[in-house]
Amino acid sequence: MKTFCGRANPTTGALDWVEESEEYDYHQEIARSCYADMLHDRDRNEKYYQGIRAAVSRVKARGERVIVLDIGTGTGLLSMMAVTAGADFCYAVEVFKPMARAATCIIKKNGFSDKIKVINKHSTEVTVGPDGDMQERANILVTELFDTELIGEGALPSYEHAHLHLVQVGCEAVPHRATIYAQLVESEQLWSWAQIRSVQVDDRTLVPPAAVRECAGAPAVCDIQLSQVPPSAFTPIGPLCSMFSVDFSRPVSSAPRSYSCRFVAKGGGRAQVVLSWWDLDMDPSGSIVCSMAPRWTYSDPREYPWRDHWMQSVYFLPAERSVCEGEELSLSVSHDDYSLWYNLSKGHQTDVEESFCRPCCTCQAHLVWTRPRFGELNDWQRTESYLSALRSVLGKDSVCLAVSDGSLLPMFAHLLGAKKVFSLENSGMSKRVIEQFLEANSLKNGVQLLAIRAEQLTSADLEGEQISVLMGEPYFSTSLLPWHSLFFWYCRTALARLLRPGATILPSSATLYLLGVEFQDLWRIRAPCGTCEGFDVSPMDEMVQQSLDFRESREAEPHHLWEYPCRALTKPHPVMTFDFQQCVPEQPMNSQGTLPLIGRGRCHGFALWMEYNLTNDISISMGLTKPVNEEGECVWSPHRKQGVYFLQTPWESSGDGRTAVSYNLTFDTSIGDVKMDFSVTQP
């Protein structure tokens, strides 16, 4: 059986749908899963085990046989905990077939096959009765159906069905309840991910269209490692509010609902953003708590349990509101089956209809630009670098062509005095967003948007002109890894016939950098577990490793490294330079060399990023934004994802520089992809 998979194609800038074998999709799912992260989450596992032991004891104290239903069993870990705690039988439900097989293998390896039945179905398809999947209803319901938003994986409908059809009335539940917390804050940093600010270009101010300013934005949650957003980056407007709780031991409704919390503003300012997370009470008394609160809420940050499968949530209000200290406010949260959203009212009245209305983007900008992209466009230092570069290359006779998705560069070029400015916009939605900006700033006659691909462009499209300045950020919505933005280079090659002799290419080149790193925590998502709470889960390790060894799964993967602290164990090293002054070569580009490990620690892998040279003296880094200090601290750009290549086995470094990394990178120009290989050289 074949499957179609989307894959970024840097040579075309498109997301290609390619036919792959059934195994490809399976291996990608396993290789990129969070199972290793969950198995390494000691706090989660211990709290579940404590909760399960307590629930089994309560049922036994009533003189009942203990029948457990484990929905979303994954590796079968929670089911094995239940049987070890004294459960008489456990039904382990897992819809993902490869995981159901893994659970069966792990359960057999640990000697629980006679007490645990794995059911490879969605829980809503499970039947109960003499001829059913379950012989009887369960009196303990164990689940791990949660995501960062708590309900985003369909927890509410699954619980609702389970109480109606699969468990006894008055059953025990682990977890017993969940509580969602929220805090209203003002934050320029976070709000810059939701709205575009005005830009000063010499004596002109480029303003966002009214439709963008007044838009409620994208409804999707922004899930991040909130621990990496320091408290200095936001100002609380109100207290931490307990918004609502869900008791999983009683019938649960998936029907849409709203809740509100009233409070007095603790300070004046602009209410913009809601920070949110949740806790799980594993027992009815609330004495066993698994919290998703960020690190800076802990009195001792060393007690913070890092995890990546559950993070924290950032929600953006539909519009910022000015608030005075002492003012009475009402923060409301609404939910449907799978998502949450927030609203703010003043005084005693809460507009129920407004609160219950799910926000949606009406300006299209929030559909075209990701939240990091909003932040990138709002980065005034970055913008000033582009403006400075453009000022140095533009003249009154400049004919400019911009190649980037939804870029403001064409408007900058016009305002800086270019004779003519054209911009390629292949996406119809992106083109409409830029048209709104042009109209709002009376620039419709200053920039011509061309809905055409670079290789199709003709001299007639350029009104008979030759291009004197070809510019790009470059940014393309389909780019995932750093080298995917080399689509700009392929466009430059296709446009060579239309370039004026001696034309300026901005950026003039790009350099791919490499850095050996020790991750503080991110290594857990790829590290084998072996045993977990005393259970042998090595079959899961083996399955993940087999998938990691399958084609692209052993290549670099994209991560926002600003969220994942790491220490540099090598110096940042330029491994490959792409000269945009020249066309893309037909032959592959190769770079080999060695890199001494000069930092003491454990090398988990390598970070890779691009640095774009706009001019001879102006460059923009998509990776490190500051020099690495003596302790190896790394400060990463929050706007783009960096590439991360994880080593199968970490390398120990004494830091004396005698141990070195040998690298071999090849840029295949025919497909626009980078293949890489690393080895360690001991003294």
Side-chain angles (χ1 to χ4, degrees):
M1 180 180 175
K2 299 288 186 178
T3 184
F4 284 94
C5 301
R7 185 182 300 163
N9 185 340
T11 68
T12 64
L15 186 67
D16 290 349
W17 291 95
V18 296
E19 189 177 63
E20 295 282 1
S21 65
E22 182 180 18
E23 290 78 13
Y24 176 84
D25 198 33
Y26 153 72
H27 284 295
Q28 286 289 307
E29 181 75 19
I30 295 296
R32 300 292 185 249
S33 69
C34 291
Y35 293 115
D37 178 28
M38 288 187 283
L39 292 174
H40 281 291
D41 188 347
R42 184 175 178 180
D43 178 71
R44 163 194 177 271
N45 299 333
E46 288 180 346
K47 300 295 174 58
Y48 260 100
Y49 211 168
Q50 293 171 21
I52 288 169
R53 289 194 190 102
V56 170
S57 296
R58 290 194 299 273
V59 174
K60 282 185 173 293
R62 298 198 293 262
E64 301 175 18
R65 289 180 69 246
V66 179
I67 307 300
V68 176
L69 172 61
D70 174 10
I71 299 178
T73 193
T75 59
L77 177 65
L78 303 185
S79 292
M80 293 189 293
M81 289 179 176
V83 172
T84 303
D88 295 284
F89 200 81
C90 183
Y91 295 99
V93 179
E94 176 57 53
V95 68
F96 185 37
K97 191 172 184 178
M99 279 310 306
R101 290 176 184 160
T104 301
C105 180
I106 292 170
I107 288 166
K108 181 179 180 180
K109 191 175 185 68
N110 286 273
F112 295 111
S113 295
D114 60 331
K115 290 288 189 78
I116 302 173
K117 177 184 178 181
V118 177
I119 303 172
N120 181 208
K121 287 184 176 181
H122 194 283
S123 64
T124 57
E125 299 173 345
V126 172
T127 57
V128 179
D131 299 321
D133 301 306
M134 299 171 60
Q135 294 297 298
E136 57 188 309
R137 287 183 177 232
N139 51 16
I140 296 182
L141 175 58
V142 177
T143 61
E144 208 281 53
L145 299 171
F146 313 115
D147 67 348
T148 294
E149 204 172 13
L150 184 69
I151 65 173
E153 292 184 1
L156 295 181
S158 295
Y159 272 110
E160 184 175 45
H161 177 270
H163 277 284
L164 288 172
H165 302 287
L166 304 178
V167 298
Q168 299 174 18
V169 175
C171 74
E172 301 287 344
V174 182
H176 181 81
R177 80 174 64 83
T179 302
I180 287 186
Y181 299 92
Q183 185 168 35
L184 182 67
V185 304
E186 175 182 358
S187 173
E188 279 299 309
Q189 176 185 333
L190 297 177
W191 189 244
S192 73
W193 299 351
Q195 287 291 340
I196 291 290
R197 302 189 184 112
S198 299
V199 180
Q200 191 68 33
V201 182
D202 290 349
D203 59 346
R204 285 286 303 272
T205 301
L206 194 65
V207 299
V212 176
R213 295 196 308 270
E214 298 167 4
C215 181
V221 63
C222 177
D223 53 341
I224 62 171
Q225 291 285 356
L226 197 55
S227 297
Q228 299 309 310
V229 178
S232 59
F234 59 86
T235 302
I237 298 293
L240 182 64
C241 300
S242 174
M243 298 305 300
F244 70 94
S245 295
V246 182
D247 186 338
F248 297 125
S249 69
R250 298 180 178 181
V252 172
S253 173
S254 63
R257 290 197 61 180
S258 290
Y259 307 86
S260 62
C261 179
R262 289 184 171 83
F263 56 87
V264 173
K266 59 194 302 184
R270 291 173 295 163
Q272 299 167 324
V273 176
V274 175
L275 310 181
S276 179
W277 56 86
W278 44 266
D279 288 351
L280 294 176
D281 290 331
M282 295 298 182
D283 65 326
S285 67
S287 60
I288 307 170
V289 181
C290 186
S291 175
M292 303 308 120
R295 186 190 301 269
W296 35 258
T297 64
Y298 285 72
S299 56
D300 184 355
R302 292 173 298 180
E303 296 179 357
Y304 170 71
W306 185 89
R307 49 178 68 95
D308 204 47
H309 57 103
W310 295 330
M311 295 186 281
Q312 295 79 35
S313 300
V314 173
Y315 298 89
F316 303 95
L317 292 180
E320 65 177 359
R321 306 280 294 273
S322 295
V323 173
C324 298
E325 183 177 356
E327 192 171 7
E328 293 187 8
L329 303 173
S330 177
L331 182 66
S332 60
V333 60
S334 303
H335 73 77
D336 53 20
D337 285 10
Y338 295 94
S339 60
L340 305 172
W341 59 93
Y342 285 82
N343 217 318
L344 182 68
S345 300
K346 294 187 176 184
H348 295 286
Q349 299 298 320
T350 299
D351 191 331
V352 177
E353 183 175 345
E354 180 182 353
S355 299
F356 201 69
C357 181
R358 190 169 187 260
C360 64
C361 175
T362 55
C363 71
Q364 299 186 327
H366 300 89
L367 305 178
V368 169
W369 294 326
T370 63
R371 292 187 173 104
R373 176 61 171 164
F374 269 89
E376 186 171 56
L377 292 172
N378 283 324
D379 185 336
W380 67 268
Q381 290 181 317
R382 173 184 177 277
T383 296
E384 187 53 44
S385 293
Y386 281 101
L387 288 172
S388 296
L390 286 172
R391 289 188 188 102
S392 70
V393 301
L394 290 178
K396 293 182 178 180
D397 63 341
S398 294
V399 176
C400 303
L401 176 66
V403 180
S404 279
D405 288 350
S407 176
L408 303 183
L409 289 189
M411 286 172 267
F412 295 168
H414 173 74
L415 293 176
L416 292 173
K419 174 185 173 183
K420 290 186 179 181
V421 181
F422 302 89
S423 180
L424 299 186
E425 289 288 353
N426 292 318
S427 162
M429 190 178 296
S430 178
K431 181 173 179 287
R432 287 191 288 274
V433 169
I434 298 302
E435 284 174 342
Q436 293 181 63
F437 273 83
L438 295 175
E439 185 170 353
N441 291 277
S442 302
L443 299 176
K444 291 191 70 174
N445 296 326
V447 177
Q448 295 188 45
L449 303 181
L450 305 174
I452 191 171
R453 297 186 60 81
E455 64 271 18
Q456 299 170 330
L457 193 68
T458 66
S459 178
D461 296 317
L462 300 175
E463 300 175 350
E465 299 277 5
Q466 285 187 305
I467 303 164
S468 61
V469 178
L470 177 64
M471 58 187 179
E473 302 186 33
Y475 170 83
F476 303 102
S477 59
T478 56
S479 297
L480 297 175
L481 290 163
W483 43 91
H484 289 170
S485 291
L486 290 176
F487 175 54
F488 176 80
W489 198 13
Y490 289 87
C491 290
R492 177 260 181 267
T493 302
L495 295 165
R497 69 194 189 284
L498 299 174
L499 296 178
R500 184 182 300 176
T504 297
I505 313 295
L506 190 156
S508 59
S509 64
T511 301
L512 179 64
Y513 277 82
L514 176 70
L515 181 71
V517 296
E518 177 184 54
F519 285 110
Q520 180 175 301
D521 297 296
L522 189 63
W523 60 270
R524 302 172 196 271
I525 71 172
R526 293 291 170 263
C529 189
T531 60
C532 181
E533 296 301 311
F535 302 101
D536 186 347
V537 294
S538 58
M540 185 67 211
D541 294 336
E542 294 166 5
M543 185 169 72
V544 170
Q545 190 57 56
Q546 289 173 3
S547 293
L548 287 171
D549 291 337
F550 186 83
R551 293 183 54 189
E552 284 99 336
S553 300
R554 276 305 313 156
E555 297 183 352
E557 53 190 80
H559 288 281
H560 279 298
L561 289 184
W562 72 269
E563 295 185 65
Y564 305 104
C566 62
R567 284 195 313 113
L569 300 184
T570 70
K571 291 183 178 179
H573 184 64
V575 291
M576 198 173 288
T577 295
F578 309 93
D579 185 0
F580 298 158
Q581 303 288 350
Q582 307 298 322
C583 293
V584 177
E586 295 182 1
Q587 299 301 316
M589 298 172 59
N590 180 262
S591 177
Q592 301 180 39
T594 58
L595 197 55
L597 289 166
I598 58 173
R600 186 181 181 87
R602 175 172 289 188
C603 184
H604 295 116
F606 300 91
L608 301 105
W609 70 95
M610 286 289 193
E611 184 170 301
Y612 292 101
N613 305 302
L614 303 185
T615 64
N616 291 334
D617 55 355
I618 301 175
S619 62
I620 297 285
S621 174
M622 302 300 167
L624 290 176
T625 58
K626 294 182 179 180
V628 176
N629 63 20
E630 292 183 0
E631 290 73 35
E633 181 185 4
C634 302
V635 180
W636 299 97
S637 167
H639 307 318
R640 304 279 181 102
K641 289 184 177 182
Q642 292 76 39
V644 177
Y645 183 97
F646 288 101
L647 295 170
Q648 291 190 32
T649 303
W651 299 336
E652 298 294 338
S653 170
S654 61
D656 59 10
R658 292 190 298 167
T659 301
V661 175
S662 295
Y663 63 85
N664 186 349
L665 276 71
T666 300
F667 177 61
D668 187 339
T669 57
S670 66
I671 60 174
D673 203 5
V674 175
K675 305 292 183 182
M676 58 196 72
D677 185 49
F678 299 92
S679 60
V680 62
T681 304
Q682 301 286 357

